[in-house]
mmCIF file of all heavy atoms in Angstrom:
data_model
loop_
_atom_site.group_PDB
_atom_site.id
_atom_site.type_symbol
_atom_site.label_atom_id
_atom_site.label_comp_id
_atom_site.label_asym_id
_atom_site.label_seq_id
_atom_site.Cartn_x
_atom_site.Cartn_y
_atom_site.Cartn_z
ATOM 1 N N SER A 36 -3.004 9.673 -11.109
ATOM 2 C CA SER A 36 -4.371 9.178 -10.901
ATOM 3 C C SER A 36 -4.615 8.602 -9.464
ATOM 4 O O SER A 36 -5.676 8.069 -9.203
ATOM 5 C CB SER A 36 -4.728 8.067 -11.905
ATOM 6 O OG SER A 36 -3.779 6.972 -11.813
ATOM 7 N N SER A 37 -3.635 8.782 -8.546
ATOM 8 C CA SER A 37 -3.748 8.150 -7.239
ATOM 9 C C SER A 37 -3.224 9.059 -6.149
ATOM 10 O O SER A 37 -2.224 9.757 -6.357
ATOM 11 C CB SER A 37 -3.038 6.777 -7.226
ATOM 12 O OG SER A 37 -2.986 6.257 -5.913
ATOM 13 N N LEU A 38 -3.821 8.979 -4.950
ATOM 14 C CA LEU A 38 -3.320 9.716 -3.810
ATOM 15 C C LEU A 38 -2.594 8.765 -2.811
ATOM 16 O O LEU A 38 -2.324 9.162 -1.697
ATOM 17 C CB LEU A 38 -4.479 10.370 -3.077
ATOM 18 C CG LEU A 38 -5.080 11.601 -3.818
ATOM 19 C CD1 LEU A 38 -6.325 12.088 -3.059
ATOM 20 C CD2 LEU A 38 -4.081 12.727 -3.941
ATOM 21 N N LEU A 39 -2.296 7.536 -3.221
ATOM 22 C CA LEU A 39 -1.675 6.557 -2.322
ATOM 23 C C LEU A 39 -0.276 7.072 -1.903
ATOM 24 O O LEU A 39 0.097 6.836 -0.769
ATOM 25 C CB LEU A 39 -1.569 5.174 -2.968
ATOM 26 C CG LEU A 39 -2.853 4.394 -3.091
ATOM 27 C CD1 LEU A 39 -2.621 3.111 -3.850
ATOM 28 C CD2 LEU A 39 -3.443 4.164 -1.732
ATOM 29 N N ASN A 40 0.396 7.683 -2.769
ATOM 30 C CA ASN A 40 1.734 8.316 -2.455
ATOM 31 C C ASN A 40 1.681 9.733 -2.918
ATOM 32 O O ASN A 40 1.679 10.028 -4.115
ATOM 33 C CB ASN A 40 2.847 7.545 -3.170
ATOM 34 C CG ASN A 40 2.990 6.119 -2.692
ATOM 35 O OD1 ASN A 40 3.454 5.853 -1.581
ATOM 36 N ND2 ASN A 40 2.563 5.211 -3.513
ATOM 37 N N ALA A 41 1.519 10.650 -2.004
ATOM 38 C CA ALA A 41 1.307 12.067 -2.343
ATOM 39 C C ALA A 41 1.824 12.944 -1.213
ATOM 40 O O ALA A 41 2.140 12.491 -0.108
ATOM 41 C CB ALA A 41 -0.187 12.320 -2.506
ATOM 42 N N TYR A 42 1.986 14.241 -1.543
ATOM 43 C CA TYR A 42 2.418 15.213 -0.500
ATOM 44 C C TYR A 42 1.659 16.509 -0.647
ATOM 45 O O TYR A 42 1.099 16.847 -1.679
ATOM 46 C CB TYR A 42 3.925 15.406 -0.582
ATOM 47 C CG TYR A 42 4.368 16.259 -1.785
ATOM 48 C CD1 TYR A 42 4.459 17.630 -1.716
ATOM 49 C CD2 TYR A 42 4.743 15.669 -3.003
ATOM 50 C CE1 TYR A 42 4.857 18.450 -2.789
ATOM 51 C CE2 TYR A 42 5.187 16.407 -4.071
ATOM 52 C CZ TYR A 42 5.205 17.782 -3.998
ATOM 53 O OH TYR A 42 5.592 18.573 -5.045
ATOM 54 N N LYS A 43 1.729 17.263 0.428
ATOM 55 C CA LYS A 43 1.092 18.565 0.521
ATOM 56 C C LYS A 43 1.881 19.447 1.418
ATOM 57 O O LYS A 43 2.296 19.021 2.507
ATOM 58 C CB LYS A 43 -0.342 18.457 1.005
ATOM 59 C CG LYS A 43 -1.022 19.761 1.407
ATOM 60 C CD LYS A 43 -1.296 20.630 0.216
ATOM 61 C CE LYS A 43 -1.980 21.910 0.668
ATOM 62 N NZ LYS A 43 -2.181 22.870 -0.434
ATOM 63 N N THR A 44 2.202 20.687 1.026
ATOM 64 C CA THR A 44 2.933 21.616 1.902
ATOM 65 C C THR A 44 1.883 22.464 2.637
ATOM 66 O O THR A 44 0.883 22.950 2.068
ATOM 67 C CB THR A 44 3.900 22.506 1.137
ATOM 68 O OG1 THR A 44 3.194 23.267 0.161
ATOM 69 C CG2 THR A 44 4.939 21.631 0.390
ATOM 70 N N VAL A 45 2.200 22.741 3.923
ATOM 71 C CA VAL A 45 1.320 23.592 4.710
ATOM 72 C C VAL A 45 2.242 24.482 5.619
ATOM 73 O O VAL A 45 3.364 24.157 5.853
ATOM 74 C CB VAL A 45 0.364 22.786 5.606
ATOM 75 C CG1 VAL A 45 -0.588 22.023 4.781
ATOM 76 C CG2 VAL A 45 1.197 21.884 6.564
ATOM 77 N N ASN A 46 1.681 25.569 6.115
ATOM 78 C CA ASN A 46 2.372 26.427 7.035
ATOM 79 C C ASN A 46 1.639 26.441 8.351
ATOM 80 O O ASN A 46 0.485 26.912 8.388
ATOM 81 C CB ASN A 46 2.476 27.835 6.453
ATOM 82 C CG ASN A 46 3.450 28.737 7.244
ATOM 83 O OD1 ASN A 46 3.178 29.048 8.423
ATOM 84 N ND2 ASN A 46 4.556 29.167 6.634
ATOM 85 N N ILE A 47 2.239 25.951 9.397
ATOM 86 C CA ILE A 47 1.591 25.870 10.698
ATOM 87 C C ILE A 47 2.231 26.815 11.649
ATOM 88 O O ILE A 47 3.377 26.680 12.084
ATOM 89 C CB ILE A 47 1.666 24.423 11.305
ATOM 90 C CG1 ILE A 47 1.110 23.370 10.313
ATOM 91 C CG2 ILE A 47 0.963 24.342 12.653
ATOM 92 C CD1 ILE A 47 1.277 21.979 10.756
#
Side-chain angles (χ1 to χ4, degrees):
S36 59
S37 173
L38 289 172
L39 286 176
N40 297 287
Y42 73 88
K43 168 70 180 174
T44 61
V45 296
N46 191 295
I47 304 175

